[in-house]
Amino acid sequence: MQRSWDDTFALAWASYIGGTTPVGAMLLDRDGTRVATGANRRYSSEPVAGQLSGSRLAHAELNALAGVDPLTDVRDHTLYSTLEPCSLCVGASIQAGVGTVVYAAPDPYGGAASMRLDNRQVQLRRPDLLAEADLRWRDLGALLVLVFSIEVRRADGIVDAYRDRLPDLVTRAEDDRIRATVRDAAAANAPWNEVRKALTA
C-alpha cells in the first residue's frame, strides 16, 4: 500500500508544483493493478487527454474516473484519493459504480464522505467510503492542502475548517520551516519521495 499511496501523492505533488489544488487519485482493480489516475487540474491551463483542466470541475477523482471505459465493471475496484472526496467526487464515484473509495486526509471544509442521499441509484451503487488508518498519510494530505491554502491560493475558509477539526496540523502548516520546505521543494521541482521524507522527518 505504501507504493500506491506514494504514487497517488506524487500526482497531488505534481498538482501543487503546477499551481493547483494538491489532490491526486488512483483507481486500482481488485488485484492492485493501476487502472486510471487523475490529478486536480482546476487552475491548470495545460490540456491533458481525457482529463478536465482549467475548470472548477477538474477534480482528481473525477479525472481518474473519466479515464475508465464506461463498459468496465468497477464494483470490485478501489479509488484512492489523497483528500476526502467532495460532493462532486462522491457523485462521480456513484455514477461510475466504484466499489470502494479510500482517502488519506479528511476535508473538514468540503469533504462529503458522510453525505447522505437516498434514491435507488445510491442504494445500489454508493461506494464504501473509508478513511486511511495510517495517520502519516492523513497528515501528509492535510499538510499539502493547508500549505497550498496558506501559501499559494489564500483560502481562509479551508484553513479555519481544519483549525476547528485538526488544529495541530494547522499549527504545523503555519510553521515557517514547513512552509519553506514545501516552497523550496516546489521551486526545485523536487520528486515526491524527497518531499515526503522532509515532511515526516
Side-chain angles (χ1 to χ4, degrees):
M1 193 66 258
Q2 163 92 23
R3 180 160 181 228
S4 294
W5 274 128
D6 266 333
D7 290 347
T8 307
F9 270 90
L11 295 163
W13 178 241
S15 291
Y16 190 105
I17 290 172
T20 194
T21 312
V23 181
M26 182 176 300
L27 184 68
L28 302 180
D29 68 15
R30 69 175 168 207
D31 299 320
T33 301
R34 181 185 308 185
V35 174
T37 63
N40 188 297
R41 303 184 54 76
R42 176 185 296 195
Y43 304 114
S44 175
S45 59
E46 295 179 28
V48 172
Q51 298 205 354
L52 289 171
S53 296
S55 165
R56 290 185 180 270
L57 302 180
H59 291 204
E61 301 91 334
L62 194 69
N63 276 332
L65 294 172
V68 178
D69 184 312
L71 299 178
T72 300
D73 184 350
V74 294
R75 287 177 292 185
D76 62 354
H77 289 40
T78 301
L79 179 66
Y80 290 88
S81 177
T82 59
L83 188 66
E84 179 182 351
C86 67
S87 57
L88 172 69
C89 296
V90 170
S93 298
I94 292 167
Q95 290 294 328
V98 173
T100 305
V101 176
V102 180
Y103 57 91
D107 181 356
Y109 179 78
S114 62
M115 179 178 74
R116 295 291 170 247
L117 297 173
D118 190 20
N119 61 36
R120 187 69 175 145
Q121 182 184 38
V122 172
Q123 292 166 4
L124 293 173
R125 299 178 74 159
R126 180 178 171 84
D128 293 326
L129 290 146
L130 309 170
E132 168 59 42
D134 187 333
L135 296 183
R136 293 175 302 166
W137 298 112
R138 178 203 71 175
D139 291 358
L140 287 167
L143 278 174
L144 282 181
V145 168
L146 283 165
V147 172
F148 181 84
S149 298
I150 294 166
E151 286 276 309
V152 181
R153 296 211 179 259
R154 189 72 193 175
D156 293 333
I158 292 172
V159 176
D160 290 344
Y162 272 98
R163 194 180 313 280
D164 290 343
R165 187 155 162 207
L166 296 166
D168 292 346
L169 284 175
V170 175
T171 300
R172 281 189 67 200
E174 290 175 334
D175 184 301
D176 290 338
R177 291 168 297 172
I178 294 290
R179 290 176 20 224
T181 295
V182 174
R183 186 183 323 117
D184 293 347
N189 203 16
W192 165 249
N193 63 340
E194 289 181 15
V195 179
R196 174 177 47 79
K197 288 175 187 172
L199 292 177
T200 55

